[in-house]
Amino acid sequence: MTLPIRARLAVVCAILVGSLVVGLGSLVYLRLEADLRAAADDSLASRAQQLADEPPSGPTIDLGPSDVGDVFAQVLMRDGKVIANTEGLAGSVVPTSDLGSLAGPRSYEGTVATTTDEPVLARILETPTGDGHVIVTGVAFDDQREVLDRLRYLFGLAGLGAVVLAGAVGWLVARAALRPVERMRAESEAVSGSEPGRRLAVPATRDELAALGGSLNRMLDRLEAAVERERRFVADAGHELRTPLANLKAELDLALRRARSPSALVDALRSASEETDRLTRLAEELLLIASAEGGRLPMRREDVDLTRLVRGTVDSFSSRSSALGITLVATGERVSAHVDGTRIRQAVGNLIDNALRHTPAGGTVTVRTSSDAGGASIAVSDSGEGFPAAFLPDAFEAFARADASRSRSAGGAGLGLAIVRAIVEAHGGRVEARTGDHGGAIVVLRLPA
């Protein structure tokens, strides 16, 4: 089970402080223990050297007072026989077997038996002499060991308290630090479609949380714009579909009347067929735009001669341009690209169709192909009035028209440029629209190399 962030931060703080206390306490404890042992060993070595220089004349050793605790001494044979010792000791301090292998000074802690009291914990130093004797000096070490044990207990108690305190502080700090996050979470729960303009309150701290709040608000802006764009798209699509459906319904209702002549009936059916074709075309265009925005536009890429593709597309519009009295020409260098030829032909055809719609009789529409280091480009320009400045930012949006008063039959549904952008962006390219220096609209398709 994953712990909450506050609990994890509290545990991390407790572990860090606990590790610090254990490490520092161990260092202090070991250092103090080493210093106490060193002080005792130095004192014992000094007394052993004194006994070696001035051996006792009798069985009793008289030692002066010591500032490290109660001291004692013995002079033994290698077999463990006591030659001399201080008063109060009961027999040999060390086992006989240890003395036989003693080659140099050896210090350790051990329990010493006495004749007057309980056994005491002592620090013992065994020093061999050149005449085959062993001088044993020792000092009571139970007070020092008690101090060390008490210090260890205090360190353990203090460490436990520090761990608990660090955990509590970590919990409180994490709670305070995450309070703005909790507030943002509660506010985000309240954001809904009924309040599209509602945003999260961003603290004026200029820290990571403020940056997070700003990012979330920008995300909400993008989502709201996307929802609004989809809502407008659906509304515009319904509006566009309503007229041909109404016309189709009216034509069919008229065709069902018995009083109509055969020729009138044929005209009604022909009109209904035209409205059906228009509905089919509009549905296909809407499906293409929706697929492109969802990243599901089917593509069949291959190496395509763009120059030949453009000339073929221009030739398909030649009869229409002649009927309108407009000169339609294809020019430019020979260019090839790895694209879906059918989609590119559709995009170029939409641009030529728009250009013919907005070019007066006697004008010219030019389709030019070119290439550079960045890839290939196809530019369609006309000699019409060009794009209104207010229309350019929305030129490639669905259902956008340069002249809102233009009829649908004359101005189309406003999907031509939107389809062009969808196709070009699906190829990884981009499309640009502008008005020429001397008038006329220019739309450039830029395809990547």
Side-chain angles (χ1 to χ4, degrees), residues 95-121:
T96 306
S97 59
D98 290 341
L99 298 179
S101 60
L102 186 63
R106 180 177 62 183
S107 60
Y108 58 92
E109 291 181 25
T111 302
V112 177
T114 64
T115 59
T116 59
D117 203 348
E118 297 178 355
V120 296
L121 179 66

Side-chain angles (χ1 to χ4, degrees), residues 333-379:
E333 59 184 288
R334 195 170 191 83
V335 179
S336 298
H338 192 70
V339 296
D340 186 326
T342 302
R343 297 295 187 189
I344 297 300
R345 183 186 297 273
Q346 182 181 7
V348 175
N350 283 358
L351 294 180
I352 295 176
D353 179 74
N354 282 348
L356 293 177
R357 288 175 184 272
H358 297 88
T359 301
T364 302
V365 175
T366 303
V367 185
R368 181 183 301 275
T369 57
S370 61
S371 64
D372 54 28
S377 62
I378 303 173

Side-chain angles (χ1 to χ4, degrees), residues 308-320 328 330 352:
R308 177 179 295 181
L309 182 147
V310 167
R311 292 186 184 279
T313 307
V314 168
D315 291 341
S316 66
F317 283 88
S318 59
S319 59
R320 178 182 168 187
L328 177 60
I352 295 176

Side-chain angles (χ1 to χ4, degrees), residues 18-310:
S19 301
L20 180 63
V21 171
V22 169
L24 182 60
S26 299
L27 179 63
V28 173
Y29 177 86
L30 294 176
R31 181 62 182 177
L32 178 60
E33 184 181 37
D35 290 343
L36 292 176
R37 287 176 175 176
D41 291 345
D42 290 343
S43 176
L44 296 177
S46 175
R47 292 186 179 276
Q49 184 63 40
Q50 181 181 357
L51 289 175
D53 294 340
E54 300 178 3
S57 57
T60 302
I61 300 175
D62 184 17
L63 295 177
S66 172
D67 55 357
V68 296
D70 297 334
V71 295
F72 59 87
Q74 280 186 337
V75 178
L76 306 174
M77 298 292 292
R78 285 284 184 169
D79 58 2
K81 181 180 179 181
V82 179
I83 300 176
N85 64 356
T86 54
E87 295 181 355
L89 294 179
S92 175
V93 175
V94 296
T96 306
S97 59
D98 290 341
L99 298 179
S101 60
L102 186 63
R106 180 177 62 183
S107 60
Y108 58 92
E109 291 181 25
T111 302
V112 177
T114 64
T115 59
T116 59
D117 203 348
E118 297 178 355
V120 296
L121 179 66
R123 185 73 179 170
I124 302 171
L125 175 64
E126 301 171 358
T127 306
T129 61
D131 55 2
H133 295 163
V134 176
I135 299 175
V136 179
T137 53
V139 61
F141 207 69
D142 49 358
D143 291 341
Q144 291 87 335
R145 181 56 59 187
E146 183 179 354
V147 170
L148 292 172
D149 292 341
R150 188 181 301 113
L151 180 64
R152 183 169 54 189
Y153 171 78
L154 292 176
F155 271 132
L157 189 62
L160 180 60
V163 167
V164 173
L165 180 61
V169 171
W171 175 276
L172 294 176
V173 170
R175 181 180 179 182
L178 294 175
R179 189 175 292 115
V181 177
E182 178 64 22
R183 185 171 59 251
M184 290 182 187
R185 186 199 63 77
E187 291 177 354
S188 63
E189 290 286 347
V191 175
S192 63
S194 60
E195 296 180 288
R198 184 167 182 171
R199 294 295 180 267
L200 306 179
V202 179
T205 53
R206 296 186 178 182
D207 56 4
E208 290 81 357
L209 293 178
L212 174 62
S215 298
L216 292 176
N217 282 338
R218 288 188 292 272
M219 181 190 68
L220 291 174
D221 290 338
R222 293 192 297 270
L223 290 176
E224 182 178 345
V227 170
E228 180 61 29
R229 185 167 57 251
E230 294 297 327
R231 184 183 293 112
R232 187 171 60 251
F233 180 83
V234 172
D236 291 340
H239 186 68
E240 291 294 332
L241 291 171
R242 186 182 299 112
T243 299
L245 285 174
N247 293 338
L248 180 61
K249 179 67 167 56
E251 294 292 344
L252 293 176
D253 288 341
L254 291 174
L256 291 175
R257 293 182 180 178
R258 297 179 181 272
R260 302 199 71 179
S261 64
S263 61
L265 181 60
V266 170
D267 290 339
L269 292 177
R270 183 178 294 110
S271 177
S273 177
E274 292 176 355
E275 293 295 338
T276 302
D277 291 339
R278 181 180 176 189
L279 281 171
T280 301
R281 185 169 58 254
L282 182 58
E284 291 176 348
E285 291 175 348
L286 292 173
L287 180 61
L288 187 149
I289 294 175
S291 299
E293 290 183 351
R296 301 182 302 273
L297 184 63
M299 305 284 291
R300 296 181 59 183
R301 294 174 181 263
E302 57 185 352
D303 292 332
V304 176
D305 186 341
L306 292 181
T307 305
R308 177 179 295 181
L309 182 147
V310 167

